[in-house]
Amino acid sequence: MADFDLELDASGLNCPLPILRAKKSLAKLEGGQVLHIIATDPGSVKDFEAFAKQTGNTLMESKEDGGKFYFLIKKS
Amino acid sequence: MPCEKFTVIATKGTLDWGYPPFILASTAAALGKDVSIFFTFYGLTMLKKDLSGLKVTPTGNPDMPMKMPFGPKWLRGIDFAPLVPNLLWNLPGMDNFSTTMMKKTVKNNGVATLEELRELCQEAEVKFLACQMTVELFGFEHSDFIDGVEYVGAATYFEESNDTETTQSIFI
């Protein structure tokens, strides 16, 4: 796991809340800083890809471990 | 080129159909789009100060699953909708029953309430446009609705969505 600057635990939340919370969390970061997101919504795997692509931020990592999904997004 | 604007025409006034406009609008705003929702006919209900009166009805909703939001796992797995004759859903109290069930299911699944989603939309500066003609037709007052609503006509909707190159528009 790479270093991150802020963590967002979106466990138990369903669409569209993980995306909306991620957007808010990213707003607190400076360009180049990294947000770590934990989610349980299986839809979030594709959604964070789509979110990163459309907002110009970089999805550095996306992985599943024990029924949870972990994402690292670097703010552009 | 990605769409920069997203407009929704929201026409439904039930607890279930209230979700799609707010979910899509809040997400589009999170993606950085300029978003507006034009609420018309029954959709206006979604702008009322108090949303606690919204209901969902299995009548005329033949695909709506009716599963217990509580109890043991085997019981939760049963879909009662096809097992119960349609006539029964028309009995007094059935809409209250299905509404309670849906609210409980929403909570169990970590889905936001309509009020929460509406607030998130407002925080994200989603523009709420209300059809003034319907306000008058249904005998509503502006004081029935939340703050921050613009009362407009169809021409304003077209102004919001006039650039087809950059605008995606949907009707719900």
Side-chain angles (χ1 to χ4, degrees):
Chain A
M1 175 74 61
D3 285 338
F4 53 85
D5 300 285
L6 185 64
E7 185 169 75
L8 166 68
D9 188 354
S11 301
L13 299 179
N14 221 319
C15 172
L17 294 177
I19 293 286
L20 302 187
R21 299 270 163 91
K23 163 82 179 175
K24 263 192 192 172
S25 298
L26 279 169
K28 293 179 197 155
L29 296 180
E30 308 280 333
Q33 288 190 306
V34 176
L35 175 67
H36 181 230
I37 304 157
I38 308 164
T40 49
D41 168 22
S44 63
V45 177
K46 277 286 184 193
D47 260 21
F48 276 114
E49 260 178 54
F51 172 76
K53 206 167 148 190
Q54 290 174 85
T55 53
N57 300 300
T58 314
L59 181 61
M60 297 161 63
E61 194 177 296
S62 167
K63 62 169 189 178
E64 188 196 345
D65 187 19
K68 288 205 172 197
F69 305 96
Y70 301 89
F71 308 94
L72 285 174
I73 295 182
K74 188 194 251 182
K75 185 168 176 170
S76 62
Chain B
M1 181 179 167
C3 285
E4 292 158 5
K5 284 181 82 171
F6 178 56
T7 67
V8 182
I9 302 177
T11 64
K12 307 286 198 294
T14 55
L15 182 62
D16 47 349
W17 279 101
Y19 276 90
F22 289 135
I23 289 177
L24 293 171
S26 56
T27 305
L31 294 173
K33 296 174 199 286
D34 177 8
V35 188
S36 55
I37 313 179
F38 183 70
F39 296 89
T40 186
F41 279 77
Y42 314 110
L44 270 185
T45 311
M46 297 301 154
L47 293 177
K48 289 235 172 127
K49 281 178 184 154
D50 182 11
L51 294 180
S52 62
L54 291 179
K55 288 187 176 155
V56 56
T57 175
T59 305
N61 254 340
D63 279 336
M64 181 179 159
M66 290 293 287
K67 295 183 179 176
M68 286 288 181
F70 38 71
K73 207 173 176 190
W74 64 266
L75 183 67
R76 289 173 183 235
I78 301 174
D79 183 3
F80 288 92
L83 305 175
V84 178
N86 266 339
L87 185 67
L88 224 62
W89 296 124
N90 293 309
L91 292 177
M94 275 303 187
D95 286 352
N96 288 336
F97 172 71
S98 52
T99 299
T100 307
M101 303 278 267
M102 178 163 170
K103 284 186 174 169
K104 178 87 180 124
T105 306
V106 158
K107 208 176 164 197
N108 287 352
N109 284 287
V111 174
T113 62
L114 277 181
E115 288 89 343
E116 279 177 84
L117 284 173
R118 186 170 73 175
E119 261 180 51
L120 289 167
C121 282
Q122 285 196 297
E123 271 175 36
E125 292 176 4
V126 170
K127 224 187 272 179
F128 288 169
L129 307 171
C131 171
Q132 175 62 27
M133 182 276 281
T134 318
V135 171
E136 285 166 32
L137 186 67
F138 288 175
F140 293 144
E141 302 287 340
H142 288 185
S143 57
D144 295 335
F145 301 109
I146 54 172
D147 291 339
V149 175
E150 287 174 61
Y151 297 89
V152 303
T156 305
Y157 167 75
F158 282 106
E159 195 191 5
E160 287 293 317
S161 57
N162 64 354
D163 188 348
T164 52
E165 285 276 302
T166 57
T167 306
Q168 181 179 17
S169 298
I170 63 165
F171 180 93
I172 298 173

